[in-house]
Amino acid sequence: MIEVKNLTFSYGKGKQALHGLTFSVKDGEIFGFLGPNGSGKSTTQKILTGILKGYGGTVDLLGEDVRNVHKKKFFEKIGVLFEFPYLYANLSALDNLHYFASFYPKNQRRDAEELLDELEFKKDFLKKPVSSYSKGMRQRVSMARALISNPKLLFLDEPTSGLDPAGAVLFRKIIEKERKKGTTVFLTTHNMLDADLLCDRVAFISDGNIAALDTPRGLKEKNSNHSIIIDYLYRGERKEQVIEAHDLKEGVPYIYDELISIHSQEPTLEDMFIQYTGRGLA
């Protein structure tokens, strides 16, 4: 679905943003592209979506070289959710969606009201101007805009930004639903929970280079110290012990009256990012 080879880009002399990125995204995969501000993450996404030109290397989307594609039909297969909502503030949610839907063939468009209903948009705001919406409501309309054309390839930039926890869970369910339909998703985010729960694979980018690329589980397992924390009760007192995972083969090596919990000391995805790049995501 996406093939990137030796991708380079410079904003001017001495301002090289990308240093030869090479990666691929499979059909139907949710691929996370994670990095702090200034890492080259947004530059890469702008190149992939055809916004930035003048890059080095090759970028193939949907089997075609992006550099040479000017066909409307090609871009009709792509949906984009930008980090900041690009909506007409004086128009309503429905007016915005009907306008953007008009750029696509009728047989490809989704029903705007049904889509907003799926996104749990407040019905009494359907015909009110976007300028009156909260950030979370604008995010819902922006997601609807990205999905209105039934895209085969979906670019999502911080999709759960501005949403409360329930809204974030809803968006993750919708993204999973899109993947089940066969949609390929390229996800850029600072939200490690989104990346961990959604992504088949993640790439960490730092200073224009890919520092690591693997499944979230693979990255954590490679760097795990394989320690286990055991919480238990003994003679009315709560205790905690740390042992090596292989020591559990013979059972819990402590006398106890009741086991409370047994869990691994597996690192988090954010721990892995900091380890590979030396920088936090914020």
Side-chain angles (χ1 to χ4, degrees), residues 29-267:
E29 181 177 29
I30 300 178
F31 185 85
F33 201 65
L34 316 178
N37 296 331
S39 62
K41 180 178 63 191
S42 295
T43 299
T44 303
Q45 179 158 292
K46 287 176 182 177
I47 291 170
L48 295 182
T49 52
I51 296 171
L52 270 183
K53 309 292 184 183
Y55 58 86
T58 59
V59 177
D60 289 351
L61 264 65
L62 302 163
E64 299 193 54
D65 188 334
V66 174
R67 185 183 276 112
N68 302 321
V69 170
H70 304 288
K71 303 172 189 173
K72 184 182 176 184
K73 285 186 178 181
F74 174 81
F75 291 103
E76 286 174 352
K77 299 174 185 176
I78 298 172
V80 182
L81 170 67
F82 298 98
E83 181 178 2
F84 303 104
Y86 284 91
L87 302 167
Y88 290 99
N90 59 324
L91 298 180
S92 68
L94 285 176
D95 287 338
N96 266 281
L97 293 180
H98 289 152
Y99 173 71
F100 290 118
S102 69
F103 294 107
Y104 301 95
K106 285 186 178 180
N107 62 353
Q108 189 178 327
R109 304 174 197 167
R110 294 179 65 173
D111 182 271
E113 285 198 51
E114 288 181 4
L115 192 50
L116 287 171
D117 187 54
E118 185 178 345
L119 287 159
E120 297 183 359
F121 186 82
K122 295 179 180 178
K123 291 185 178 181
D124 52 338
F125 278 84
L126 284 173
K127 296 183 180 180
K128 292 182 180 180
V130 167
S131 58
S132 67
Y133 297 173
S134 67
K135 186 175 181 182
M137 291 169 67
R138 293 184 189 209
Q139 194 72 352
R140 282 170 163 80
V141 181
S142 295
M143 177 63 99
R145 175 189 168 179
L147 297 175
I148 196 76
S149 62
N150 267 318
K152 291 185 177 180
L153 176 56
L154 186 58
F155 288 93
L156 301 177
D157 193 355
E158 301 294 351
T160 58
S161 175
L163 299 175
D164 59 23
V169 170
L170 173 67
F171 267 44
R172 286 195 288 268
K173 287 180 179 177
I174 287 171
I175 294 167
E176 282 282 8
K177 185 177 177 181
E178 286 300 307
R179 184 250 288 278
K180 287 177 182 176
K181 286 167 48 180
T183 307
T184 303
V185 180
F186 188 90
L187 173 69
T188 56
T189 184
H190 287 124
N191 189 314
M192 290 292 94
L193 182 61
D194 285 348
D196 209 353
L197 293 176
L198 286 170
C199 295
D200 299 297
R201 291 184 301 144
V202 295
F204 293 154
I205 181 171
S206 180
D207 297 322
N209 295 288
I210 291 179
L213 198 165
D214 201 345
T215 65
R217 176 178 288 183
L219 286 168
K220 290 183 285 186
E221 287 180 350
K222 280 180 193 173
N223 296 278
S224 173
N225 60 12
H226 304 293
S227 295
I228 302 293
I229 300 175
I230 301 175
D231 282 319
Y232 61 97
L233 288 176
Y234 181 59
R235 293 182 177 177
E237 185 179 350
R238 182 165 180 161
K239 295 178 179 289
E240 179 181 287
Q241 298 284 353
V242 179
I243 66 170
E244 294 299 308
H246 60 76
D247 290 338
L248 272 179
K249 289 180 180 179
E250 305 301 325
V252 177
Y254 306 108
I255 299 173
Y256 61 89
D257 297 321
E258 180 184 346
L259 283 177
I260 298 172
S261 67
I262 299 176
H263 56 275
S264 68
Q265 282 190 303
E266 185 178 85

